[in-house]
Amino acid sequence: MKCHNRIDLRPSRRAVLSGAATAGAALLAAPFIARAQAAEIPIGVLLPFTGSQGAYGPDMRKAAEITTKLINDAGGILGGRSFKLFFEDDESSPTAGLAATKKLLEIHKCQAVIGIWGSPIAMAIKNVLIQANTCMMVSGAANAITDGDTKGLVWRYQAKATDWGPGMAKAMLSRGWKRVSILAQQNPFVIPMIEPAKKVFEAAGGQVVDSVVYNPDQPSYRAEVQRIFGASNPPEAVMCLGLLTDFVSIVREVVRNGYKSKVMALSIAADAEGKFIQAVGPDVAEGIEHFQPSPPLGSPTYARFQKLMGADENALFLFAGNTHDQVCTLALAMEKTKSTDSPVFTKAIREVCNPPGEVVGDVVEALKKVRAGSKIAFAGAGSDCDFDERGDQLNRHFGHFRIEKGKQVLVQVIKGPEGTL
Amino acid sequence: MTAYLVTILILVCIAIILGLALNLQWGLCGMVNFGMAGFFALGAYAAALVALSGAGTLAGIVVAALICAATCGATALVSLRLSDEYLAILTLGFGEVIRLVTLSESWLTGGSLGLPGIPRPLWGWVSEQNYELLFLALLVVVVLALFLVLEVLIRSPFGRAVRAVREDDTVASTLGKNVTMLRVKAFAVGGAIIGIAGAFHAYYLTYVDPSQFSAIITAYTFMAVIAGGRGSNKGLLFGAATIMCLIEGSRFLKDIVQVLDATQLASIRLILIGLGLILFLIYRPQGFLLEYRLRSSSLLARSSLNGATRMHDFKQEAS
């Protein structure tokens, strides 16, 4: 019987080959699927749609699509050529992000890769893009992304991580909180915020009572919350540096135990495009304050962007605006240099973005002015889009908010030279 | 197109090396290793640190293999009396410990920022454009070498004894085999191979950080081994390639399907990968190929040709 079974189980060569052939078919079919029209300019958009960062991708995708439609409908660039976007999911993983980037470069022949939310993913694909002489526009904050020889190809649409800490500390000091604790996630963009923040507190005569760094994806944060919030002499406020999922658990734990210390979080966690209040409800969220490099709130460009996204004037888009700006600056720099070649058009990014020049926020109007030869300073919906020579942001806005009755209320906007306030 | 295929093939090769290691530990010896991702990280970090210190990339591979072999051997020794589920829990915990160490000991591992700028082997031998092809060639050589070594190992007395331990360790020990040492050896050799895979991963990405070594790596490796047919290294080559084709090939889905948007398709893609694997296991639970077995018919045919030496082999097999 046993012997009979074994004979049954042996696969035929045909079965093995057909299995392998089916699996390989998709790969072989690839070049025929992806051949784009010659006139279109292929742009790769690498975003997290799944995995731990999956919540941040969809709005950025929408912004990229809307902005591209705006440009293409107005006649495109370079005398009628239009942008064609290719989206890839980085699965919140550097290895998957790398494979996806290779697909964007090799199959779709993308002239630039934009989006790029997570810092580890940006770090993993940076060398590949630089080697391929392809422009890379990121929303990641880790300082290391723009370090080293980038050939001028790497552009950051987010404030550098080391610039966040001092700003947040100053915002907390402005609320009169001097005895504070820090509860931070072990994460490449969060950790560099801690030391600069501590220095600002100490310089202002404040005190950082305790700080705890926790690991992402923990099943519970009870021990950390008890140590920080439940201390015998609890701090006036706690600086919570984390992402949405861990912050939701932390806040629930704080409320359940009735701890009284105020909470100051990153907007990426306490707003997360509205997902935080959805998760915990307005009662639990009441009174939580948050801070982050923000869009230029109140500016005409941002107001227009909110309308484009189909949102009301209270909507806070932390990353979608960056994607909008990435598409716009690509178009402007390509139009300016009459080239879709990354090493060429990246040289003009500062020229069309930085002052001096007429401040323009509408990309269609900005394109007309560039064609007419006038000097403009593009102001985006995610930031004012001013860059230093390394591709890092200048003149960044930081927003300080409070959650009241389920709504985000702006406490103050701080704009600082060099992002240091 | 070529460079994309080269990337996929490099990832397949690394997956195959990991699969070969698991096939030795679990397929052949029956020791479940749920800490693959952790040991993989250990190898990657060891190689990265050695290479970054300037000792050379070859030294990095050797050190990664040695450290992973020692750690895996020690894990097997610690789990002396543990088998099956208990060993699974222990390795799972051990892998997690390694991940937490890489995350927390930032003086050594750079913490969550990771280690950038890792040197690559044979860098500068060819132009930058052709380098990945050279890297792939190097990896193929390594895969073939490991494959041949393991095929010889499986057919050796050691391989037979290890399989005997897998089938029934009491019987093996009754027949005078040192079950503990066999398990430690098999696990350590598997560990060395995981270390080599880790080293090549670090060299290929030139950047390591803890988020690269999530538990999904362990899951994909088990899938590759199961799809290939547990215990069969030849099957594993198909298994690993199929898994990677499924993962990467499904990226092209959204280039064909225009009805759904990119966000929805990204989620559907992961569901389809899971569905593909479930269907595969339903219709081919034994995997692509079966493991190598010594057959009495072939043995008898050979023994009639060369009776004396073959009888010696046969006795060893029986013991």
Side-chain angles (χ1 to χ4, degrees):
Chain A
M1 185 64 206
K2 207 174 176 189
C3 186
H4 177 72
N5 253 346
R6 191 179 299 156
I7 290 163
D8 268 355
L9 285 173
R10 285 190 69 84
S12 67
R13 179 173 296 153
R14 191 178 297 164
V16 175
L17 286 177
S18 73
T22 315
L27 279 176
L28 291 174
F32 307 103
I33 301 161
R35 195 160 293 154
Q37 288 170 36
E40 289 178 327
I41 303 164
I43 303 294
V45 192
L46 183 67
L47 291 172
F49 292 125
T50 54
S52 60
Q53 302 157 1
Y56 303 108
D59 270 345
M60 296 172 78
R61 175 188 62 79
K62 193 174 166 195
E65 279 175 344
I66 287 173
T67 316
T68 305
K69 190 169 182 314
L70 214 60
I71 295 170
N72 289 350
D73 287 355
I77 59 167
L78 302 174
R81 294 180 68 183
S82 53
F83 276 153
K84 182 160 174 60
L85 299 180
F86 291 94
F87 292 96
E88 280 299 333
D89 179 16
D90 66 28
E91 299 169 38
S92 310
S93 141
T95 319
L98 179 73
T101 305
K102 288 276 186 175
K103 179 177 177 248
L104 289 173
L105 285 177
E106 297 294 329
I107 307 290
H108 304 303
K109 309 281 179 209
C110 290
Q111 299 291 345
V113 177
I114 64 171
I116 315 177
W117 191 88
S119 293
I121 291 147
M123 290 297 292
I125 65 172
K126 180 178 146 186
N127 284 339
V128 172
L129 288 169
I130 292 174
Q131 210 181 319
N133 279 320
T134 304
C135 174
M136 164 179 181
M137 295 181 165
V138 304
S139 288
N143 287 25
I145 296 173
T146 50
D147 281 352
D149 180 17
T150 63
K151 294 194 203 165
L153 294 167
V154 182
W155 297 83
R156 191 204 302 275
Y157 287 71
Q158 178 60 278
K160 262 203 307 206
T162 41
D163 289 347
W164 295 35
M168 197 164 177
K170 284 189 181 170
M172 290 176 82
L173 286 166
S174 77
R175 298 278 288 115
W177 300 330
K178 290 199 151 186
R179 282 188 81 256
V180 301
S181 290
I182 299 174
L183 186 56
Q185 194 199 79
Q186 176 68 258
N187 173 308
F189 89 94
V190 163
I191 299 302
M193 298 178 196
I194 299 176
E195 284 309 314
K198 276 186 183 169
K199 283 206 185 91
V200 172
F201 277 117
E202 277 153 21
Q207 188 196 355
V208 176
V209 188
D210 196 1
S211 62
V212 169
V213 176
Y214 58 85
N215 290 299
D217 307 325
Q218 278 179 205
S220 150
Y221 299 91
R222 177 169 296 174
E224 290 84 354
V225 167
Q226 274 175 355
R227 177 168 147 192
I228 290 286
F229 286 86
S232 53
N233 183 8
E236 288 169 277
V238 178
M239 192 183 224
C240 291
L241 306 170
L243 298 183
L244 176 65
T245 40
D246 42 294
F247 185 63
V248 167
S249 318
I250 287 168
V251 167
R252 284 198 179 125
E253 201 70 47
V254 169
V255 170
R256 198 178 297 141
N257 287 293
Y259 293 131
K260 296 282 174 251
S261 305
K262 299 284 181 195
V263 172
M264 179 74 153
L266 293 172
S267 309
I268 197 178
D271 181 64
E273 260 94 32
K275 293 192 178 65
F276 173 70
I277 298 175
Q278 274 172 27
V280 299
D283 292 344
V284 171
E286 185 69 23
I288 287 175
E289 305 201 3
H290 54 94
F291 174 91
Q292 189 147 319
S294 74
L297 298 158
S299 80
T301 320
Y302 186 67
R304 192 182 311 109
F305 179 68
Q306 284 171 321
K307 216 179 277 170
L308 275 177
M309 294 287 283
D312 63 22
E313 69 274 20
N314 288 320
L316 178 60
F317 293 104
L318 292 171
F319 307 107
N322 294 341
T323 324
H324 164 271
D325 298 352
Q326 290 169 347
V327 177
C328 293
T329 43
L330 272 180
L332 292 170
M334 285 178 179
E335 188 69 61
K336 177 87 194 166
T337 54
K338 303 280 175 232
S339 168
T340 57
D341 199 16
S342 287
V344 178
F345 73 73
T346 48
K347 297 238 179 347
I349 289 180
R350 292 182 76 203
E351 211 179 321
V352 294
C353 287
N354 287 17
E358 188 188 343
V359 177
V360 192
D362 182 343
V363 64
V364 175
E365 197 189 323
L367 279 168
K368 277 183 199 150
K369 289 193 192 295
V370 167
R371 272 177 218 127
S374 51
K375 171 79 182 87
I376 61 154
F378 177 73
S383 71
D384 277 352
C385 288
D386 297 337
F387 298 94
D388 68 10
E389 62 286 348
R390 286 216 66 80
D392 279 324
Q393 293 251 308
L394 294 171
N395 305 324
R396 185 75 209 197
H397 289 80
F398 291 82
H400 176 180
F401 305 85
R402 183 167 44 240
I403 301 175
E404 285 175 13
K405 299 194 178 80
K407 289 258 185 300
Q408 310 293 348
V409 178
L410 183 65
V411 179
Q412 55 184 328
V413 177
I414 310 160
K415 187 176 169 182
E418 313 299 324
T420 49
L421 306 186
Chain B
M1 180 67 194
T2 324
Y4 176 60
L5 276 182
V6 168
T7 302
I8 302 303
L9 287 175
I10 287 173
L11 294 178
V12 168
C13 282
I14 293 173
I16 287 176
I17 300 179
L18 276 177
L20 287 173
L22 186 66
N23 217 4
L24 176 65
Q25 293 180 331
W26 178 62
L28 206 65
C29 193
M31 299 175 79
V32 183
N33 184 357
F34 277 166
M36 291 296 290
F39 293 113
F40 186 49
L42 187 66
Y45 272 92
L49 287 168
V50 170
L52 281 169
S53 75
T57 48
L58 182 65
I61 297 173
V62 173
V63 170
L66 288 178
I67 286 184
C68 284
T71 339
C72 271
T75 314
L77 211 54
V78 170
S79 58
L80 201 57
R81 277 167 241 289
L82 305 178
S83 60
D84 301 336
E85 299 88 347
Y86 298 100
L87 180 68
I89 295 167
L90 186 109
T91 50
L92 191 64
F94 200 83
E96 190 61 14
V97 167
I98 294 173
R99 197 182 68 82
L100 290 179
V101 168
T102 59
L103 205 52
S104 308
E105 298 304 314
S106 30
W107 59 274
L108 183 69
T109 63
S112 53
L113 286 170
L115 297 169
I118 300 164
R120 295 175 138 187
L122 312 184
W123 184 250
W125 278 32
V126 291
S127 66
E128 274 191 30
Q129 283 73 28
N130 293 327
Y131 177 76
E132 297 216 336
L133 214 53
L134 178 70
F135 193 90
L136 176 63
L138 180 67
L139 254 177
V140 168
V141 170
V142 171
V143 167
L144 281 179
L146 287 173
F147 178 79
L148 289 176
V149 167
L150 286 170
E151 283 296 292
V152 170
L153 200 69
I154 287 172
R155 287 164 174 77
S156 72
F158 173 77
R160 290 192 290 262
V162 163
R163 278 198 296 182
V165 170
R166 177 191 69 190
E167 296 301 329
D168 194 327
D169 54 353
T170 319
V171 172
S173 113
T174 312
L175 289 170
K177 295 292 172 196
N178 186 342
V179 171
T180 310
M181 273 324 288
L182 281 170
R183 280 194 170 146
V184 170
K185 274 187 202 163
F187 217 61
V189 174
I193 299 171
I194 301 175
I196 293 171
F200 277 101
H201 174 85
Y203 293 154
Y204 181 59
L205 260 73
T206 70
Y207 168 69
V208 287
D209 86 295
S211 71
Q212 294 165 19
F213 306 100
S214 57
I216 195 77
I217 291 176
T218 310
Y220 283 156
T221 312
F222 268 90
M223 285 184 221
V225 172
I226 293 168
R230 187 180 162 190
S232 165
N233 283 337
K234 255 183 234 154
L236 174 78
L237 301 183
F238 288 107
T242 308
I243 301 292
M244 277 314 288
C245 286
L246 204 57
I247 294 169
E248 281 304 316
S250 57
R251 280 190 189 280
F252 290 92
L253 194 70
K254 67 177 171 312
D255 301 332
I256 310 164
V257 182
Q258 306 287 342
V259 190
L260 299 163
D261 68 40
T263 317
Q264 291 164 322
L265 273 171
S267 310
I268 288 174
R269 177 179 153 239
L270 295 188
I271 295 171
L272 283 180
I273 292 173
L275 191 69
L277 290 165
I278 292 170
L279 289 177
F280 184 88
L281 287 184
I282 289 174
Y283 291 105
R284 191 154 270 283
Q286 74 279 20
F288 281 128
L289 295 172
L290 290 183
E291 79 171 316
Y292 158 79
R293 273 177 197 272
L294 199 57
R295 285 165 187 284
S296 54
S297 56
S298 67
L299 204 68
L300 286 171
R302 276 191 287 168
S303 67
S304 66
L305 282 173
N306 192 351
T309 47
R310 290 301 151 190
M311 270 319 277
H312 173 74
D313 261 1
F314 189 65
K315 269 180 201 156
Q316 250 184 346
E317 167 76 357
S319 67

